[in-house]
Amino acid sequence: DGGITQSPKYLFRKEGQNVTLSCEQNLNHDAMYWYRQDPGQGLRLIYYSQIVNDFQKGDIAEGYSVSREKKESFPLTVTSAQKNPTAFYLCARTPLTRPGDYGYTFGSGTRLTVV
Amino acid sequence: AQSVAQPEDQVNVAEGNPLTVKCTYSVSGNPYLFWYVQYPNRGLQFLLKYITGDNLVKGSYGFEAEFNKSQTSFHLKKPSALVSDSALYFCAVRALNSGNTPLVFGKGTRLSVIA
């Protein structure tokens, strides 16, 4: 899994429900990211975190929340305020030292569907 | 601001023929450039990167990319396409001296290799 694990693989949400997507990494990397992927729109950044207890909004943060209570975990909550949550969600990690040298390593994704 | 353009949504090529997937970028200063590949319902996998040095970069699975600073391009190439190369390809960029700003991804190009 490249040292980064997303769960569950598939998730179904009812209208008005909050759901949480898990992302765990075991390589002690500082930076973690959440992207949303929709057909034809590429990857759009939701939130990212470079240090424990700190995170920054990306381009499409509305309707989402995150926490970074420990280095290895960066869960994403899709709240009821997100009106169109059906998408493929990807988590990524990278070491902060020379991040460009390593790029990102991605998890295998969670496909969220509203039912 | 950083941006990436992948001008083709879809590229079709016959097996055994050379392939090119185009990418142009915009950053302030020198870029870090990456190519990733995505198979259905999976995360993105790293193919290759350009940081500095030789303009022709070799990566995984026989792929290579040519950095052209004057044309701000980083096209992905392979001399002989395989059916198994069929996938979604993403180009990504960040500025070399932009601190730890996240990668910006293009919208992706779907490559279809026909037997």
Side-chain angles (χ1 to χ4, degrees), chain A residues 100-106, chain B residues 33-37 43-50 57-61:
Chain A
D101 283 7
Y102 297 98
Y104 294 174
T105 299
F106 283 84
Chain B
L33 290 156
F34 299 84
W35 275 102
Y36 290 85
V37 61
L44 276 66
Q45 297 176 29
F46 171 82
L47 273 181
L48 51 79
K49 65 184 179 187
Y50 172 84
V57 177
K58 294 188 181 298
S60 307
Y61 313 119

Side-chain angles (χ1 to χ4, degrees), chain A residues 6-109:
Chain A
Q6 289 187 242
S7 63
K9 191 171 179 64
Y10 299 96
L11 187 57
F12 298 91
R13 192 193 93 166
K14 294 181 180 179
E15 295 283 351
Q17 226 179 17
N18 292 355
V19 291
T20 297
L21 284 60
S22 171
C23 181
E24 304 275 333
Q25 55 108 353
N26 62 4
L27 293 180
N28 200 37
H29 285 172
D30 299 287
M32 298 183 75
Y33 306 83
W34 276 106
Y35 286 89
R36 170 178 170 146
Q37 183 178 12
D38 297 279
Q41 297 197 50
L43 273 66
R44 293 182 291 169
L45 183 64
I46 305 172
Y47 270 100
Y48 65 104
S49 170
Q50 297 179 346
I51 191 170
V52 173
N53 293 322
D54 188 41
F55 45 82
Q56 286 76 44
K57 292 182 178 180
D59 300 318
I60 57 164
E62 186 174 350
Y64 299 97
S65 66
V66 293
S67 63
R68 188 89 185 272
E69 297 177 358
K70 48 185 181 177
K71 198 171 190 178
E72 57 268 27
S73 179
F74 190 42
L76 174 74
T77 297
V78 184
T79 74
S80 57
Q82 171 50 241
K83 297 307 178 187
N84 184 24
T86 295
F88 191 52
Y89 291 86
L90 289 162
C91 181
R93 59 157 179 84
T94 192
L96 268 188
T97 52
R98 303 170 65 184
D101 283 7
Y102 297 98
Y104 294 174
T105 299
F106 283 84
S108 56

